[in-house]
Amino acid sequence: MFDDVSDLKLLGKSKTEYPSKVSPDLLESFPNRFPNRDYWVTLISDEFTSLCPMTGQPDYGTIVIKYRPDKRCIESKSLKFYLFSYRQEPTFMETVVNRILDDLVNACSPKEMIVVGKFKPRGGVVIEVEAHYKK
Amino acid sequence: MFDDVSDLKLLGKSKTEYPSKVSPDLLESFPNRFPNRDYWVTLISDEFTSLCPMTGQPDYGTIVIKYRPDKRCIESKSLKFYLFSYRQEPTFMETVVNRILDDLVNACSPKEMIVVGKFKPRGGVVIEVEAHYKK
Amino acid sequence: MFDDVSDLKLLGKSKTEYPSKVSPDLLESFPNRFPNRDYWVTLISDEFTSLCPMTGQPDYGTIVIKYRPDKRCIESKSLKFYLFSYRQEPTFMETVVNRILDDLVNACSPKEMIVVGKFKPRGGVVIEVEAHYKK
Amino acid sequence: MFDDVSDLKLLGKSKTEYPSKVSPDLLESFPNRFPNRDYWVTLISDEFTSLCPMTGQPDYGTIVIKYRPDKRCIESKSLKFYLFSYRQEPTFMETVVNRILDDLVNACSPKEMIVVGKFKPRGGVVIEVEAHYKK
Amino acid sequence: MFDDVSDLKLLGKSKTEYPSKVSPDLLESFPNRFPNRDYWVTLISDEFTSLCPMTGQPDYGTIVIKYRPDKRCIESKSLKFYLFSYRQEPTFMETVVNRILDDLVNACSPKEMIVVGKFKPRGGVVIEVEAHYKK
Amino acid sequence: MFDDVSDLKLLGKSKTEYPSKVSPDLLESFPNRFPNRDYWVTLISDEFTSLCPMTGQPDYGTIVIKYRPDKRCIESKSLKFYLFSYRQEPTFMETVVNRILDDLVNACSPKEMIVVGKFKPRGGVVIEVEAHYKK
Amino acid sequence: MFDDVSDLKLLGKSKTEYPSKVSPDLLESFPNRFPNRDYWVTLISDEFTSLCPMTGQPDYGTIVIKYRPDKRCIESKSLKFYLFSYRQEPTFMETVVNRILDDLVNACSPKEMIVVGKFKPRGGVVIEVEAHYKK
Amino acid sequence: MFDDVSDLKLLGKSKTEYPSKVSPDLLESFPNRFPNRDYWVTLISDEFTSLCPMTGQPDYGTIVIKYRPDKRCIESKSLKFYLFSYRQEPTFMETVVNRILDDLVNACSPKEMIVVGKFKPRGGVVIEVEAHYKK
Amino acid sequence: MFDDVSDLKLLGKSKTEYPSKVSPDLLESFPNRFPNRDYWVTLISDEFTSLCPMTGQPDYGTIVIKYRPDKRCIESKSLKFYLFSYRQEPTFMETVVNRILDDLVNACSPKEMIVVGKFKPRGGVVIEVEAHYKK
Amino acid sequence: MFDDVSDLKLLGKSKTEYPSKVSPDLLESFPNRFPNRDYWVTLISDEFTSLCPMTGQPDYGTIVIKYRPDKRCIESKSLKFYLFSYRQEPTFMETVVNRILDDLVNACSPKEMIVVGKFKPRGGVVIEVEAHYKK
Ligand SMILES: [Ca+2]
Ligand SMILES: [Ca+2]
Ligand SMILES: [Ca+2]
Ligand SMILES: [Ca+2]
Ligand SMILES: [Ca+2]
Ligand SMILES: [Ca+2]
Ligand SMILES: [Ca+2]
Ligand SMILES: [Ca+2]
Ligand SMILES: [Ca+2]
Ligand SMILES: [Ca+2]
Ligand SMILES: [Ca+2]
Ligand SMILES: [Ca+2]
Ligand SMILES: [Ca+2]
Ligand SMILES: [Ca+2]
Ligand SMILES: [Ca+2]
Ligand SMILES: [Ca+2]
């Protein structure tokens, strides 16, 4: 290995096993402490990447998730791992956003959820996709 | 030719035939994998150029396309080529935006579509045009 | 004349006669090619200037015009000349915006029109005026 | 007159006589209270306008003046009136900036002075001019 | 006086008497030339200052006034003087905004008016207040 | 102590006792002088910090509070101290925002209140939470 | 007094006596703990206000102070009070900046100091002044 | 023609003949009125477009020209036409910038000149090129 | 504990022991793989917080560290923990920046290092401190 | 495959073989047409990603390359493929930037080259690395 990390004490023990395909099972949730109040949670990651199904080259984007929790909230660190699992998936942007919506609805069964993907330009063309779920 | 590209291996084989007039046939689509969900797709190109019908000089602008797909989605690379085909067309901005809307509705038969053109100032005057289609 | 322009070939022939008072007759229009579609056109000039009726000093501002065309569209270069004709007019901002709205409605008989003026601060105070017409 | 200002008490008495040509005599100065210290004063006006010598149409820009005062400082309100006096002058930008530098050096005899003009685009082309004087 | 202004010709005659307490009488109005049209006027000053009633220290903010004129419009220079009159008033932000609304409604009897105050942070806390009047 | 402050006259007497746990009792209010008018007050602090309940590490964020006062207004300096009291509290963002809403409603009994928390990214993921109360 | 603050416990005891003229004596300093290291300290206040010596109206600006401390550092809260003491002083901007430099050099005897004042536009003209001291 | 311009009076007479290849002869100059002063002129166009020599697709960019004039200045409208003449030229960015520098030096023989090209991303990669000439 | 984290699998095991005072021992380094090349590394944290030594209240800021490594580089996660250790330290900004510089020079013995602290305003006054070390 | 691309004509033929490890051989160059002129070329990609050698998680950043070409220029599309080849490489940022510099110097033998990497925050800490080569 090019970089030697053997004498670093603080960090070396928790190396993550990298998921090799899209993994909804990574998503975790915790109990919503205010289930009687109707409120919105927004989660934003600007580090999403997948592969173009036509050219094999990487695409990059920002994923915005907005939902009204019912009994459970999405745990944000597990969301990070779930989004990482798209890193080697060949897929169109329109499909990515709808799949994320389906997987998150399964994971926390919210009252309502919106997923938006804003992707970096390819050939000078930017794509944004926005999908909506309501219980 | 001023620049010699004969010894470049990676790229030289796929030179595009340049369309010489506005070409709706360049537009392609692919199947919408979530036809039962009502969602929005936005496509943005900030590299649009055509010619002024009065002075013959170039105009420049950004085209924003927002639609709810029905059975088909617009393929973004084919959209890039379609927009390129306006490069030598003499036309008013008001006409450009309405024509793009007509051609895209033909190409993917969406539930709903909005096209906006925002053009660079001429004589200190900026023009923006916004048109709407609903099935 | 301080600057000598006699040896410039490309430009010298089309010197514009400068209007000395507010001139609605400068406004021109062209046929709307999509009269059956309900769409919006926005025209923005950030080079508007007139004189303060109380101090005689110049005021500066941005004029935004937004309308739904009926049978005719406003030609943008003629709009530029019309706005230039306020250069020596002493007038309040509230009056400017309403006059521009009246003159443009006369010139193209739109379905609907909004005119907004945003003026640079005087004595630390910014003024914005917004007026609306509907057929 | 379109707007009636006869019942406004606070303002009506000090209407300025508008200069009809470039007027260096409008410039005034006041004594520099710290002539032994070497310091910089910067004056910025973003409301400059003159006429294009080729087309007769208005040009707009920002004028930045930076100088090290010697015995006198430029009074800022008189500078405003001096800059207004270009409003009907047909002139190139390159000439404007050098003339302003000459007139201000005459008015306050500084140790050093820089004048920069940044003008709004014409035909998509922006011009900036920067000239320098040192005693 | 530290700065000597005795040899400045252009300006010296109109020194303003500074109001020592909040002075609604400073507000002036002029006739609305388009009383039959329903339109909005917005006035913005980012130079408002008063004193904190608890610590005696200055507060700073931006005041935004938006109204639909009926028979009279607020004259903007008189508004500047009225806002200056808060300079030595000890008062909470919530009270300032509601008082300005009351005084301006008295001065021009508008169809509708909104006043917003946006104040600079104190102890890392920003305050904004928005009040509304309708005839 | 590393820094010696013993010879500073102006400040030394009012050292604040630091709250060691979340302290709703710190919140104070003052009488609303315009209880008959329906208006909005917004309070913003971009210096909120608490601890992550899973890793023990600090989280940072901005808290926005918007309410329509009834008989009492929140005093802004007491709000600052209340927000400081979360500095050593291990808690999820979803819980923080709902607790702040509950405590502020108790403190001033408003007609309506919205609390929004916007937190800095952790693992590239930003969280925003927005909760609403109406009397 | 318009606002009643008598029932607020947390804040009421430390009301500041407001200085009625420019007061260099308000400035305090503390010992520089690293006198052997050559380093820069920058202090910025965007809440400076004084009066125009010609019109009596308020001017507003930002003051930037940059210095290399020798034996003493400027205490920032005392600087705030010193800058407040210009609130009713009629003075030109060129004079303000040089006076602040003189007073701060007296207060902390730095190795080097730069003071910059950036003032809000008057008549569309912005003034910036920058002065320099070196031991 | 799709858009009918036959009834527009103000504009119709000056339609420009469009150059079909790179045309240095389009460049014009005018006499420098201050040849004894050493000053800088900057010209910026953000509407440059040419073709990629490898793919045939359009590239877009901003061209910045900065020079110290000697006996002649570049006329800005002629520069616009010269830059338009690259519209159908297949060329690398590195070549474009150096050619523009050669042609402008020929056209006005300046004391010194810098040309910078900043091009829009292709495949996520932005290119900027900067070349320098000194007499 | 208010939030229950007992059923979260992915994260629960690595809860950090929080340092209760400034802890230079937390800093770790790794071998510089290019010791023969002279290059710069910049590390930026915008989440620094400490306590004011005079009022006991929190201060917030951004720390920028720039250095030319010699044999060792600073490990960034250990830097995060070191900066966290100031969370309950009462200290002036001028002292913070110089201490961080001393501790980092000790930890990695660089050829050269600059530390800058930019702190949030207190009483409307911003402080920035910049210190420099050279071997 | 989740998305079916079999009926798309325009794009399907040129699917790129994805490099599975860091591949300097992907870099191509073309002849510099102006080898006698000393000029700078800058290439910027904001889509760089690699893996953290300690945690296995992705890092993201922007790579800026600036060089004075000698006989050859870097072809920008081949640079894109070279940068993609870091996608699965576990490496520190300090190492990445120095390796890119070595590989590019090998590929085009420039007179001078600078490589800068600006990486997204991890644990609130941003890293930037800048390395320099001169022939
Ligand atoms: Ca978390
Ligand atoms: Ca087709
Ligand atoms: Ca694609
Ligand atoms: Ca036109
Ligand atoms: Ca004079
Ligand atoms: Ca003045
Ligand atoms: Ca009155
Ligand atoms: Ca006025
Ligand atoms: Ca209480
Ligand atoms: Ca307060
Ligand atoms: Ca302090
Ligand atoms: Ca020629
Ligand atoms: Ca011109
Ligand atoms: Ca250690
Ligand atoms: Ca790391
Ligand atoms: Ca290319």
Side-chain angles (χ1 to χ4, degrees), chain C residues 1-4 7-11 14 25-26 28-31 33-34 72 75 77-78 81, chain H residues 1-5 7-11 14 25-26 28-31 33-34 72 75 77-78 81:
Chain C
M1 187 165 47
F2 209 80
D3 282 305
D4 176 8
D7 65 342
L8 292 179
K9 287 165 292 181
L10 202 61
L11 310 162
S14 58
D25 288 352
L26 289 169
E28 300 192 11
S29 66
F30 62 89
R33 303 224 5 137
F34 296 81
R72 309 286 297 174
E75 201 285 323
K77 198 168 180 179
S78 77
F81 281 98
Chain H
M1 186 164 48
F2 209 80
D3 281 306
D4 177 8
V5 301
D7 65 340
L8 293 179
K9 289 164 291 181
L10 203 61
L11 310 162
S14 57
D25 286 354
L26 290 170
E28 299 193 10
S29 66
F30 62 89
R33 302 228 4 139
F34 297 83
R72 309 287 296 175
E75 200 285 325
K77 198 167 181 182
S78 78
F81 282 97

Side-chain angles (χ1 to χ4, degrees), chain B residues 2-4 7-11 28-31 33-34 72 75 77-78 81, chain J residues 2-4 7-11 28-31 33-34 72 75 77-78 81:
Chain B
F2 209 80
D3 281 306
D4 177 8
D7 65 340
L8 292 179
K9 288 163 290 181
L10 203 61
L11 309 163
E28 300 193 8
S29 65
F30 62 89
R33 302 228 1 140
F34 297 81
R72 310 284 299 172
E75 200 284 324
K77 198 167 181 179
S78 77
F81 282 97
Chain J
F2 209 82
D3 281 305
D4 177 8
D7 66 339
L8 292 179
K9 288 164 292 181
L10 202 61
L11 308 164
E28 299 192 10
S29 67
F30 62 89
R33 303 230 0 144
F34 297 81
R72 308 287 296 175
E75 201 284 325
K77 199 167 179 180
S78 76
F81 282 96

Side-chain angles (χ1 to χ4, degrees), chain A residues 23-107:
Chain A
S23 310
D25 287 352
L26 290 169
L27 289 165
E28 300 192 8
S29 66
F30 62 89
N32 176 12
R33 304 229 1 140
F34 297 82
N36 297 325
R37 176 175 287 146
D38 227 34
Y39 68 98
W40 284 93
V41 178
T42 305
L43 299 154
I44 305 171
S45 166
D46 63 353
E47 300 186 346
F48 182 87
T49 182
S50 58
L51 301 179
C52 176
M54 307 196 68
T55 65
Q57 293 177 24
D59 286 316
Y60 300 89
T62 293
I63 301 294
V64 179
I65 297 149
K66 188 166 181 167
Y67 71 105
R68 285 191 296 126
D70 194 344
K71 302 238 168 52
R72 309 285 297 175
C73 293
I74 292 288
E75 200 285 325
S76 67
K77 199 167 179 180
S78 77
L79 174 67
K80 179 181 74 170
F81 282 96
Y82 166 68
L83 294 177
F84 283 175
S85 74
Y86 282 85
R87 193 171 175 88
Q88 288 169 285
E89 181 81 2
T91 177
F92 282 122
M93 302 325 182
E94 291 84 350
T95 303
V96 163
V97 167
N98 282 288
R99 265 176 104 177
I100 292 174
L101 179 55
D102 282 357
D103 289 346
L104 287 172
V105 165
N106 275 349

Side-chain angles (χ1 to χ4, degrees), chain F residues 18-68:
Chain F
Y18 205 88
S20 58
K21 61 183 198 344
V22 177
S23 310
D25 285 355
L26 290 169
L27 289 166
E28 299 193 9
S29 66
F30 62 89
N32 176 12
R33 303 227 1 140
F34 297 82
N36 297 325
R37 176 175 288 147
D38 227 34
Y39 68 98
W40 285 93
V41 178
T42 305
L43 299 154
I44 304 171
S45 166
D46 62 353
E47 301 186 345
F48 183 86
T49 181
S50 58
L51 300 180
C52 177
M54 306 196 68
T55 65
Q57 293 177 24
D59 286 316
Y60 299 89
T62 293
I63 302 294
V64 179
I65 297 150
K66 187 165 182 168
Y67 71 106
R68 284 190 296 127

Side-chain angles (χ1 to χ4, degrees), chain D residues 30 32-34 37-47 66-67 73-77 79-80 84, chain G residues 54-55 92 94-99 101-102 105 121-133:
Chain D
F30 62 88
N32 176 11
R33 303 231 359 143
F34 297 81
R37 177 174 288 146
D38 228 33
Y39 67 98
W40 285 93
V41 180
T42 305
L43 299 153
I44 304 171
S45 166
D46 63 353
E47 301 186 345
K66 188 164 181 167
Y67 71 106
C73 294
I74 292 288
E75 200 284 324
S76 67
K77 197 167 181 180
L79 174 67
K80 179 181 74 170
F84 284 174
Chain G
M54 306 196 68
T55 66
F92 282 120
E94 291 83 351
T95 303
V96 163
V97 167
N98 282 288
R99 267 174 101 177
L101 178 56
D102 283 356
V105 165
R122 286 290 163 264
V125 178
V126 164
I127 306 185
E128 297 184 11
V129 184
E130 174 170 344
H132 195 177
Y133 161 87

